[in-house]
Amino acid sequence: EDQVTQSPEALRLQEGESSSLNCSYTVSGLRGLFWYRQDPGKGPEFLFTLYSAGEEKEKERLKATLTKKESFLHITAPKPEDSATYLCAVQAGGGGSNYKLTFGKGTLLTVNP
Amino acid sequence: NAGVTQTPKFRVLKTGQSMTLLCAQDMNHEYMYWYRQDPGMGLRLIHYSVGEGTTAKGEVPDGYNVSRLKKQNFLLGLESAAPSQTSVYFCASSGSTRREQYFGPGTRLTVT
């Protein structure tokens, strides 16, 4: 069974204080690892897809990295508008073409001014 | 280009009532999904569809039915609502060549 564990559950930072969120996974043949951002009362917003160990993706203050067992979402010099819940999801390989995702429970990030 | 839209945004049902949630996408995506999101549980897949006229069960399908009569629409039905179905429901879609899923804004359902 595919599993995704995110840590910490909640993280509070001061504006400008860089940090990282962790996503550990077990999956039978990783097809892709996805990061989403979710604001309160809204649907998840797609951020990145990572396909293989060693891959990195960047977008503004966010950088996602991937190893064979975990992914990190690095937040550099965060601003209050980066406050949100960040979700990690994995897509397993194998037979079928359904593209199902298994989600972690998320990390609630709060950035104080 | 509205992306993924969901109707309604909020709904309150009494136990035993039925309702249908509508999801529409304008991205010509092949794949569509219904998730529920509960505190402490994360997003869980209810049903999904890999194309018009096809549906399949996800992780938590009991008590729900779906239909995909048109490529752009995916309907989620509750025949006899139960308090355990109180949740936020999200629809998502993805293309056949790109794997990321795009989500709608959600429907908050309360069953009393």
Side-chain angles (χ1 to χ4, degrees):
Chain A
E1 183 179 333
D2 303 334
Q3 288 191 330
V4 178
T5 302
Q6 292 188 246
S7 61
E9 290 184 8
L11 180 63
R12 190 178 294 271
L13 300 174
Q14 288 299 122
E15 185 171 2
E17 179 186 2
S18 301
S19 187
S20 297
L21 312 182
N22 177 263
C23 171
S24 297
Y25 64 89
T26 55
V27 63
S28 54
L30 181 70
R31 198 171 195 174
L33 184 140
F34 303 81
W35 282 98
Y36 287 83
R37 168 191 172 126
Q38 186 174 23
D39 293 301
K42 296 191 176 181
E45 174 189 347
F46 170 71
L47 292 173
F48 305 109
T49 308
L50 302 167
Y51 295 109
S52 58
E55 189 175 359
E56 299 182 353
K57 294 274 180 73
E58 285 189 67
K59 180 179 180 180
E60 295 180 356
R61 295 175 293 281
L62 300 176
K63 181 169 125 177
T65 61
L66 181 64
T67 72
K68 289 188 177 180
K69 293 183 178 181
E70 57 191 351
S71 176
F72 292 93
L73 185 64
H74 306 278
I75 303 175
T76 302
K79 298 182 177 182
E81 52 262 42
D82 294 321
S83 297
T85 295
Y86 290 86
L87 302 173
C88 172
V90 296
Q91 187 178 71
S97 58
N98 50 54
Y99 298 106
K100 291 186 290 184
L101 298 182
T102 300
F103 280 85
K105 295 179 181 179
T107 294
L108 174 61
L109 175 66
T110 304
V111 182
N112 295 317
Chain B
N1 190 343
V4 179
T5 58
Q6 293 182 232
T7 310
K9 292 188 182 342
F10 302 93
R11 186 72 187 266
V12 178
L13 288 179
K14 294 185 187 299
T15 297
Q17 289 184 321
S18 63
M19 77 162 295
T20 300
L21 282 68
L22 171 63
C23 175
Q25 53 94 5
D26 61 3
M27 297 175 281
N28 201 34
H29 283 168
E30 292 292 330
Y31 301 84
M32 296 188 74
Y33 315 81
W34 276 108
Y35 292 89
R36 60 178 289 172
Q37 187 174 41
D38 303 290
M41 298 293 292
L43 281 158
R44 293 181 292 170
L45 184 65
I46 305 171
H47 285 281
Y48 63 97
S49 169
V50 300
E52 183 177 319
T54 71
T55 63
K57 294 181 179 179
E59 181 185 355
V60 288
D62 293 342
Y64 305 95
N65 57 76
V66 289
S67 64
R68 182 110 180 259
L69 299 180
K70 294 183 179 180
K71 184 178 183 179
Q72 65 268 33
N73 295 338
F74 195 27
L75 278 63
L76 177 71
L78 286 73
E79 291 185 346
S80 180
S84 60
Q85 294 177 304
T86 294
S87 187
V88 181
Y89 292 86
F90 289 102
C91 176
S93 71
S94 64
S96 57
T97 55
R98 296 184 67 87
R99 300 163 184 168
E100 64 271 13
Q101 295 180 14
Y102 294 91
F103 284 78
T107 295
R108 183 171 295 274
L109 174 66
T110 301
V111 182
T112 61

